[in-house]
Amino acid sequence: MRTFLFKRLPSGLAVLLAASFTVFLMLRLIPGDPATTLAGPDASPATVAAIRERLGLDAPLLSQYLRWLGQVLTGDLGPSYAIGGQVSELIGDGLAATFQLTLAALLLVVVLAVPTALYAVSARRRTLAGVLRALTTGALAVPPFVTGVVLVLVFAVGLGLLPAGGHASLFDAPDLAVQYLALPALCLALPSAAILARYLQDGLERALGEDYVRTATALGVPRRRILWRHALPNALPSAVTVLGLQIGQLIAGAVVVERIFAWPGLGQLIEQGVSRRDYPVVQDLLLLVVAGYVAVQLLTDLLYSWLDPRVRWE
C-alpha cells in the first residue's frame, strides 16, 4: 500500500502542475482586464496602467505564473483584486459551507444508491425493477438546475416544508441547518446516486450470474445471504471507483446548486471572481478543486486495493 502511494504521488503532483499552468493561461485568455474593471469605465489610460503596475499585471506572463506558484507553495495567497480581503480567508469561509454541502450530498448518494440497487436486484417482480431503473434514468437525465427549481416549487413553495434557500451553521443551530441543507444536498446528490445505483445494480447482476452463486443456490443457501455475503463484496470495488469519480462531480456541481439555493460556498465566490476578473481568487479556487479531485482519486484507489485482495500494487 505504501509503495503504491509513493508511486502515485509524482503523477498527482504532475497533474497539479499541469492544471496550475492551464488555469493560469485560461484566465488570461478570457476577455477583460482586472485593472480596467477596478478603474471603472471613465478612468484614463494612465490610471489603468498604474493599477496594472500595482497588481503586477504588467510583468511577463511567465513571471506572473512563477510568482503565483510561489505564493501557492508558501501558503501566502495574497489579497483579492476586487472582492476584498485575503484570498486564503475568502476561500476558508466558503470552503466550510461547500464541504458541508458536498459531504451531505455524498451521504445521500450512498443512502439512496445502495438500497435502490439491492432492492432492484432482489425484487421478484420485473416490473418493479423496471420502475427503479426508469427512476434512476430520469434522475440522471434531468440537470441539477432543473431539479433544484422543481424541489423549490414542490417542497418550499407548494408544501412549505423546507426553506427555499439560505444557510445556518450546524454548530449554532443544527435543526435549522438541516432544513437549509436538505434541498440543495438532495439536488446535488440525485444524479450521482442514479449513476452509482446503476453501476452497483449491474455489478450485482453480474456477480449473481457467476458459477459460485449457482452452486450456493443448489446447496440451499438463502438468496439474501448470497446477495449480502458474496455478491455485494464482489460488486463493491467497481462501485467504489464510480463513487470516487462522482465525488469530483459533486464538487463541480456544487457551483450550480449553491447558486440556486443561495448557499454561501465556493460556488458563489468563484462566480464573483469570474465576473470581476479577480485572478487570484479564481485561479486558487480552480487549483483547489483539482487538488481535491486528485486526492479523492488517490484515496479511491487505495480503498479499491483494500476491498479487492486480488489487486497487487507492487
Side-chain angles (χ1 to χ4, degrees), residues 63-127:
S63 300
Q64 296 183 42
Y65 171 72
L66 293 177
R67 183 182 61 187
W68 170 58
L69 199 60
Q71 291 176 339
V72 172
L73 294 177
T74 58
D76 182 15
L77 303 182
S80 165
Y81 285 173
I83 299 176
Q86 294 294 316
V87 176
S88 57
E89 296 178 359
L90 294 173
I91 294 178
D93 294 339
L95 184 62
T98 298
F99 179 78
Q100 178 182 337
L101 174 60
T102 306
L103 182 60
L106 179 61
L107 294 176
L108 279 178
V109 167
V110 177
V111 169
L112 293 174
V114 175
T116 300
L118 290 172
Y119 198 70
V121 171
S122 60
R124 298 185 180 273
R125 298 180 180 179
R126 292 186 177 182
T127 305

Side-chain angles (χ1 to χ4, degrees), residues 214-229:
R214 298 191 187 96
T215 303
T217 303
L219 293 174
V221 179
R223 183 175 176 83
R224 182 181 298 272
R225 183 175 181 180
I226 294 175
L227 181 63
W228 284 92
R229 295 289 300 274

